[in-house]
Amino acid sequence: MCINQIISSSSIDLFFSGPLCEEPMAAVAFVLEEWTGTLKCELAETVATGSPIAGQIVSAVKEGCRAAFLRQPCRLMIAMYKCEIQASAEVLGRVYAVLGKRQGRVQNEELKEGSGTFIIAAVLPVAQSLGFAEEVRKKTSGFAMPQLVFSHWETLTEDPFWVPTTEEELAHFGDVGDSGNLAHDYMMSARKRKGLSTDEQIVVSGEKQRTLKKNK
């Protein structure tokens, strides 16, 4: 196996385990502009699969690609469900409230001919779908029935590593971005679920902690 093949195989391995959530990567390309080294393809017999040199090259290429990827603006892609909900006019507001709470977007709404039932077409992140149908039925007392079908993958516009930097951003969002970052929340949730390292702080402001005493 020559150097070119080793580099190609190591980058392919990286595509199946990206640096953000250890998930497959999409719409990403790495360009190797220059390779400097003493090993040539003529030494393919000594640089075989499983040899120490090959392992070192694979590790170096993967870490280099990870570092290069993180130096660029990163975006997450999330799976989306197509959601169709049949609801009466009396509970439309409650259905919209549940969709908005779970970052859903209404795409179309039409009245079913010959009845008072509205058909709502929306998209909903798969990560927000756990317990969605049950919540809709509970909020509408059973007058709305959602159906979920996988639709597509969607790229989030937010940068998962964004933090306020300018004076305007610091004044609007605060020093730590108190408004929240949806892409960052998704990334941390996936990393926590997989047992990966996160930036979650157990104690944020230790000097502001206080002990609550139970009054007897």
Side-chain angles (χ1 to χ4, degrees), residues 90-154:
E90 293 79 7
V91 297
L92 277 180
R94 303 175 194 175
V95 173
Y96 287 151
V98 176
L99 284 171
K101 174 184 174 183
R102 294 173 176 262
Q103 284 81 45
R105 299 194 312 272
V106 176
Q107 296 182 322
N108 186 34
E109 173 193 317
E110 61 181 11
L111 179 63
K112 190 175 182 179
E113 186 177 355
S115 68
T117 302
F118 286 85
I119 301 178
I120 304 169
V123 289
L124 181 74
V126 173
Q128 298 285 347
S129 64
L130 183 62
F132 170 74
E134 182 180 355
E135 183 176 3
V136 169
R137 285 192 291 265
K138 183 177 179 181
K139 293 292 184 180
T140 61
S141 301
F143 286 99
M145 298 176 293
Q147 294 182 346
L148 300 175
V149 179
F150 179 77
S151 176
H152 62 282
W153 291 87
E154 185 172 298

Side-chain angles (χ1 to χ4, degrees), residues 25-77:
M25 304 168 67
V28 176
F30 293 97
V31 179
L32 181 62
E33 297 181 349
E34 182 181 359
W35 164 259
T36 302
T38 58
L39 294 175
K40 302 296 181 179
C41 286
E42 290 78 4
L43 301 179
E45 295 181 359
T46 60
V47 187
T49 303
S51 68
I53 298 178
Q56 294 172 10
I57 295 175
V58 169
S59 178
V61 171
K62 290 182 67 174
E63 291 304 317
C65 290
R66 280 175 174 263
F69 177 81
L70 293 175
R71 287 174 64 92
Q72 303 297 321
C74 302
R75 295 295 183 269
L76 284 179
M77 296 184 68

